[in-house]
Amino acid sequence: MFITFEGIDGSGKSTQARLLAEALTGLGRDVLRTREPGGSPGAEEIRALVLQGDPDRWSAKTEILLFTAARRDHLERTIEPALAAGKVVVCDRFADSTRMYQGLSRGDLRALVDDLHRLMIGREPDLTFLIDIDPAVGLSRAKGRQGHEERFEDMGLAMQARMRDGFLTLAQEFSNRFKVIEGDRAPEAVAAEVLALTLAALQARA
Ligand SMILES: Nc1ncnc2c1ncn2[C@@H]1O[C@H](COP(=O)(O)OP(=O)(O)OP(=O)(O)O)[C@@H](O)[C@H]1O
Ligand SMILES: [Mg+2]
């Protein structure tokens, strides 16, 4: 089963991906935890290109190509082999993030993102957790961290609010695989709901 975590900056995706992977491992499942952009050696190199440096480093369209190239490598080298080996793959961000950040934030490029996805990726997760959170809470959490990967960090509250609405709309569009989770709770409470939904989905597939 291929599980992804989505949501705005600071919503708790990385925290929840880690907690879910730990919980499933503790239950004896073979788990691979990975992330985007990145998740394979080549895609991690592209990660540095898209997350570091000047915000205007790439045009919107070039950026979509870089994210798609990274995703293709990640899919071929990391995700598909793990799924073929029977592992549960837990991925921090995937194509839904590109639909939002590259498809929405710099003009309406969603159709281009979807076309490239169909041509080059052609696969959706089995289960996607949207960690939904007030943009102000997410922003204050995200600002608490320091790093070099800040190309998208200075989007500001208005853009964060647009992204949140976009993710909620996406969850309706792909309602078969999305679960919307209230993220403004203790991490353990969020993790318990995520684990329960995951175990139910695993059981339904068994
Ligand atoms: N439920 C929670 N309550 C309070 N703080 C939290 C919660 N979940 C995560 N945090 C903290 O908020 C910060 C952001 O969390 P995390 O890195 O998991 O978010 P993220 O969605 O992965 O962010 P980004 O999109 O920037 O990668 C971290 O410092 C984390 O410890
Ligand atoms: Mg994260």
Side-chain angles (χ1 to χ4, degrees):
M1 185 154 83
F2 179 24
I3 302 171
T4 59
F5 283 87
E6 297 283 0
I8 60 173
D9 292 344
S11 53
K13 299 175 295 297
S14 301
T15 302
Q16 293 303 322
R18 178 176 54 77
L19 291 174
L20 179 64
E22 287 172 3
L24 290 173
T25 302
L27 292 170
R29 291 272 177 178
D30 205 355
V31 180
L32 177 90
R33 178 160 65 95
T34 185
R35 67 164 184 186
E36 287 209 349
S40 61
E44 289 288 330
E45 290 193 41
I46 298 175
R47 179 185 178 98
L49 296 177
V50 292
L51 294 189
Q52 298 177 25
D54 193 273
D56 297 328
R57 184 175 186 182
W58 308 108
S59 78
K61 288 177 181 175
T62 307
E63 188 174 282
I64 290 171
L65 288 168
L66 288 167
F67 272 93
T68 305
R71 182 160 304 125
R72 179 70 215 170
D73 193 62
H74 185 209
L75 190 70
E76 284 178 11
R77 310 283 175 111
T78 303
I79 296 173
E80 283 177 340
L83 291 172
K87 295 182 187 180
V88 178
V89 174
V90 175
C91 189
D92 184 349
R93 292 193 185 280
F94 192 65
D96 296 317
S97 280
T98 306
R99 292 185 171 105
M100 289 299 100
Y101 287 86
Q102 281 66 50
L104 204 62
S105 73
R106 292 214 267 162
D108 188 8
L109 294 174
R110 172 70 195 279
L112 182 65
V113 171
D114 283 339
D115 283 350
L116 274 172
H117 183 81
R118 183 175 44 77
L119 282 169
M120 298 313 305
I121 309 298
R123 154 154 218 149
E124 302 294 348
D126 300 303
L127 181 60
T128 299
F129 291 107
L130 172 56
I131 311 295
D132 181 54
I133 199 163
D134 184 286
V137 175
L139 210 56
S140 73
R141 283 190 197 166
K143 286 251 150 98
R145 284 170 313 157
Q146 298 272 8
H148 300 99
E149 298 181 336
E150 73 293 317
R151 268 191 76 231
F152 298 105
E153 292 273 296
D154 293 327
M155 283 188 155
L157 198 55
M159 185 57 80
Q160 286 275 83
R162 259 189 86 199
M163 292 295 122
R164 184 210 197 169
D165 290 346
F167 272 120
L168 288 169
T169 304
L170 206 59
Q172 290 177 335
E173 186 181 335
F174 295 100
S175 59
N176 58 322
R177 66 177 165 88
F178 262 92
K179 303 283 183 197
V180 181
I181 306 291
E182 163 58 55
D184 199 0
R185 295 181 283 166
E188 299 74 26
V190 177
E193 186 180 355
V194 165
L195 179 61
L197 289 165
T198 301
L199 293 177
L202 281 166
Q203 200 154 40
R205 291 163 63 87

